Amino acid sequence: METEPGQALAGPAAPHEVLRALAARSRTGSQPGARDDGLRIALIIEGGAMRGVISAGMALALDELGLVPAFDAVYGASAGAITGAWLLSRPGVTAPIVGATRLGHIADALDAERLTLTAEEVRGLEEPYVPHPVLGHS
């Protein structure tokens, strides 16, 4: 059975607003740099060990469904590098604290130094976070 681009995004439950936007972009042939929906949708591909295999399969599925042009940006980095880049974006932080037990941890810290997040990307990372008091501290 052949699947139309965006068709796999539909399901019995109401899809998430990002899935609706991707499906609409796919249906209309929207291209990066020429959109009028007012959205910026980025795909973050995080890898390492099994996550790399899963990410590769996901990327292949997006390509086969014709959904790659529906994204405005695609970033690839480890979770450690993205977390380190966020930490470095905070006021007063000049270097990440690294508790390296593997060579990959050092590579993540170096990648964090080279990865600069825009204010919009920082907001996107922080927006879903709901602060909670740290237990045992006042």
Side-chain angles (χ1 to χ4, degrees), residues 4 8 14 19 33 36 51 58 71-74 76 86 92 100 105 125 132 136:
E4 292 294 317
L19 296 179
D36 60 4
R51 291 180 308 247
M58 179 252 346
F71 291 93
D72 297 299
V74 177
W86 172 82
H105 295 158
L125 288 169
H132 300 282

Side-chain angles (χ1 to χ4, degrees), residues 2-119:
E2 192 166 313
T3 304
E4 292 294 317
Q7 183 179 350
L9 300 177
H16 188 276
E17 63 187 279
V18 172
L19 296 179
R20 288 194 305 269
L22 290 172
R25 286 179 172 188
S26 179
R27 277 192 309 275
T28 63
S30 174
Q31 294 292 314
R35 305 200 199 283
D36 60 4
D37 61 12
L39 302 173
R40 178 169 164 77
I41 302 175
L43 175 64
I44 307 292
I45 300 174
E46 190 267 326
M50 189 61 187
R51 291 180 308 247
V53 173
I54 294 167
S55 293
M58 179 252 346
L60 179 61
L62 290 171
D63 183 57
E64 288 181 352
L65 290 169
L67 291 170
V68 175
F71 291 93
D72 297 299
V74 177
Y75 301 99
S78 70
I82 293 170
T83 301
W86 172 82
L87 182 64
L88 290 170
S89 76
R90 309 308 305 151
V93 177
T94 58
I97 299 170
V98 182
T101 58
R102 294 187 325 219
L103 187 58
H105 295 158
I106 294 171
D108 286 344
L110 293 173
D111 286 345
E113 277 288 330
R114 292 188 283 263
L115 183 63
T116 302
L117 302 174
T118 66

